[in-house]
Amino acid sequence: MKGITRYYFLLFLIAESFSYSSPFPVDSVIVDKETNILEKCFLCPIALWQRFSYNTSMLNCQFAPSCSNFMAQSISTNGVLPGIIMGTDRIVRCNPAAYSYHVKHPNPKFHSDGRIVDTISPEPLTHQQNNPHLGRALSIIPGLGRAYTGKTFDGIFSFIFVFSFGTSSIQYYEKGLPNEGLLTGLVALLFWTADIYGTYRSAKYY
C-alpha cells in the first residue's frame, strides 16, 4: 500500500503543477480556494484523465456535463464520498441506452450540440411512478432496483461492475494478495452503493 500511496502522491503533484497552466474544466475546481486538500486528491486523477480524453473524439461523452465534469462538480458541491458515489452512478448510466431512457422523461433537455443534459441537481417528478424506498430495498441484489424503475440496461451494467470487481477481490484474497483484494473489494462496494443511490435517483427524478 505504501507504493500505491507514493504513486498517488506523485499524480497529485503532477496534476497540481498542470492545473495552473491548462484550460481543462476540472483545473478550475482544483485551484478554487473553497476546494480542500482531500477534494483535490480525488480531483487530480480526473484532471489527468481529461488531459487524455480531451485529445481524442473517441472519448467524447454523450452527457452534458461530461462524466468527468459531473464527478468533479459532485465532489466539489457535495463532498468527497457523496460526490464519488454520484459520479460512479453517472458512469454506470453512461451506456448505450442512455438516450432512449432520457427521451422518455417528461421534459427531456438537450445541449445545443445534441448531448443529453444531466445535472447533479435534477428536478423531482411531481408524480412518482415508482417507490424510491422499495427500489433501494431491491438493490440488495445489484441491478434489481434499477430494473424495477424501468432502467433495466442500467441495472445490467451495475450488476456487471459489482460482480466483476467483487469476484476479482475474492480471487486476489485466494491468491494471497490482500492489498489488491481490498482495493477491488472497495471498488465493488462503491459500485454497489452507487447502484442503491442510482435506483433512488431514478425513481425520484425519472
Side-chain angles (χ1 to χ4, degrees):
M1 292 296 286
K2 291 183 178 179
I4 295 176
T5 302
R6 287 196 295 267
Y7 180 68
Y8 193 85
F9 183 68
L10 177 61
L11 289 179
F12 173 74
L13 291 178
I14 293 174
E16 273 287 271
S17 63
F18 285 168
S19 63
Y20 291 93
S21 57
S22 300
F24 299 97
V26 176
D27 294 344
S28 61
V29 182
I30 292 177
V31 300
D32 192 309
K33 293 181 180 180
E34 295 184 1
T35 303
N36 61 50
I37 187 67
L38 181 60
E39 292 172 345
K40 287 184 178 182
C41 288
F42 285 91
L43 289 170
C44 285
I46 302 175
L48 290 174
W49 164 255
Q50 288 192 345
R51 283 163 174 75
F52 172 69
S53 65
Y54 274 44
N55 288 318
T56 172
S57 60
M58 295 178 63
L59 295 175
N60 285 347
C61 186
Q62 62 184 320
F63 283 109
S66 66
C67 288
S68 60
N69 288 323
F70 185 96
M71 176 81 79
Q73 290 177 16
S74 299
I75 292 174
S76 177
T77 303
N78 301 290
V80 172
L81 184 56
I84 291 176
I85 292 172
M86 293 174 66
T88 302
D89 166 62
R90 164 64 93 80
I91 291 172
V92 172
R93 292 187 291 110
C94 191
N95 60 61
Y99 181 86
S100 63
Y101 287 145
H102 188 69
V103 294
K104 295 177 182 178
H105 190 274
N107 184 29
K109 297 180 180 180
F110 296 90
H111 192 271
S112 58
D113 58 11
R115 288 180 297 158
I116 300 168
V117 173
D118 180 70
T119 62
I120 62 174
S121 301
E123 296 180 2
L125 295 174
T126 304
H127 301 288
Q128 297 172 1
Q129 295 181 342
N130 301 296
N131 187 320
H133 303 295
L134 176 58
R136 288 194 297 186
L138 291 172
S139 294
I140 190 171
I141 300 177
L144 185 59
R146 292 183 191 264
Y148 161 73
T149 64
K151 302 290 185 68
T152 304
F153 212 73
D154 291 359
I156 293 173
F157 267 73
S158 187
F159 178 83
I160 290 173
F161 279 120
V162 176
F163 179 80
S164 299
F165 282 106
T167 302
S168 297
S169 177
I170 294 173
Q171 292 176 345
Y172 277 127
Y173 276 113
E174 290 177 345
K175 293 178 180 179
L177 299 170
N179 292 337
E180 290 80 355
L182 176 61
L183 181 61
T184 51
L186 289 175
V187 174
L189 180 61
L190 172 60
F191 274 101
W192 194 1
T193 306
D195 181 62
I196 296 171
Y197 163 76
T199 297
Y200 179 82
R201 183 183 190 276
S202 179
K204 187 174 182 179
Y205 300 106
Y206 296 99

